[in-house]
Amino acid sequence: MISVLLAILLLVSLRQTDPNQKYLDYLSTSLVDHNGVQMEIKWSQIDGDRSWNQVGIIELLGNKRFFLDTDQQAIKIDSNLIITYYKTDDGKIIYDTLIEGSYDIFDFLSGDFSGFTITNSTANRESIQLDYHMDAFNISGKIWIKQKLFEPVKFTFGNNPERPQQYIEVEITSFGPISEGSLFNLFNPNSGEIIDLRE
């Protein structure tokens, strides 16, 4: 009797497992399981009919070690330290720390998809599209992943029911290992102004 009950519980739990979760697991592996990845990106901040676009490079060097470089700014995240360099005439550097319990685009790029619920999925020969929602932050978005390689192609981030027309879209135009000197390690800007927001 007990074994029959266990078998029924196992069948119920298997039915409740989201088959799309494996795609998030594959994507997480491609973002984390390496010795450093460099992505050329097009970064767009969307606000209704308006958008602000930048092109740049993102480096991923393991958990909580990221570097973003665009024509306007460079951001280095090393564990909980954030260094932002604004490339103005005189330059400006801001030191800050990550906010505990928050979730941002760099957590996304670290392959942390805990709390994601896949609401819909579609596929074609080139890519898989996953629509997701995060209950904890009440945000949703879409992820496009290459078929077979499971590398990121594009994603949107930050859609909120209170501001559905405001979000970030990142298109990955190239994805591969860091072949030369890491921008993360070479980062050493000169600045006319330094602001320290660390407590």
Side-chain angles (χ1 to χ4, degrees):
M1 182 68 171
I2 292 174
S3 61
V4 172
L5 183 58
L6 287 173
I8 291 170
L9 288 172
L10 180 61
L11 283 172
V12 169
S13 68
L14 286 174
R15 278 191 205 138
Q16 292 174 344
T17 302
D18 184 353
N20 293 306
Q21 182 62 41
K22 66 183 177 187
Y23 297 121
L24 290 179
D25 294 340
Y26 296 150
L27 175 59
S28 182
T29 299
S30 76
L31 291 169
V32 175
D33 191 15
H34 53 69
N35 293 320
V37 162
Q38 190 175 84
M39 297 181 281
E40 292 180 13
I41 56 127
K42 179 182 176 186
W43 180 295
S44 303
Q45 192 148 348
I46 314 292
D47 186 357
D49 295 333
R50 298 178 297 170
S51 69
W52 296 266
N53 303 312
Q54 297 182 62
V55 293
I57 293 172
I58 292 178
E59 287 185 352
L60 310 177
L61 294 104
N63 193 23
K64 299 292 185 188
R65 298 181 77 219
F66 313 105
F67 191 81
L68 167 67
D69 188 48
T70 71
D71 57 341
Q72 298 176 26
Q73 65 182 351
I75 301 172
K76 179 178 181 175
I77 298 180
D78 192 356
S79 295
N80 69 338
L81 174 64
I82 307 170
I83 305 169
T84 304
Y85 173 58
Y86 293 95
K87 300 177 180 179
T88 58
D89 291 344
D90 295 329
K92 178 167 65 175
I93 294 178
I94 298 176
Y95 291 93
D96 204 350
T97 53
L98 291 173
I99 299 169
E100 195 69 37
S102 67
Y103 187 95
D104 61 29
I105 204 155
F106 293 106
D107 293 301
F108 183 100
L109 289 169
S110 73
D112 178 6
F113 301 117
S114 57
F116 275 55
T117 301
I118 302 302
T119 57
N120 189 42
S121 66
T122 54
N124 59 36
R125 278 188 286 187
E126 283 85 36
S127 65
I128 301 160
Q129 177 188 317
L130 303 173
D131 300 354
Y132 70 85
H133 188 264
M134 291 183 71
D135 290 337
F137 300 99
N138 197 22
I139 59 172
S140 59
K142 299 177 187 298
I143 306 168
W144 288 263
I145 307 167
K146 279 186 185 175
Q147 286 277 19
K148 297 181 182 176
L149 296 174
F150 303 109
E151 295 171 355
V153 175
K154 184 168 73 170
F155 61 88
T156 64
F157 182 82
N159 298 73
N160 184 296
E162 295 174 10
R163 45 179 176 74
Q165 299 302 315
Q166 296 177 356
Y167 58 93
I168 293 169
E169 180 178 281
V170 178
E171 182 180 347
I172 292 100
T173 55
S174 75
F175 183 96
I178 297 173
S179 55
E180 296 178 5
S182 165
L183 296 174
F184 181 95
N185 294 326
L186 296 171
F187 181 65
N188 186 25
N190 292 317
S191 174
E193 182 182 3
I194 296 176
I195 300 170
D196 195 335
L197 301 176
R198 293 172 291 182
E199 294 181 358

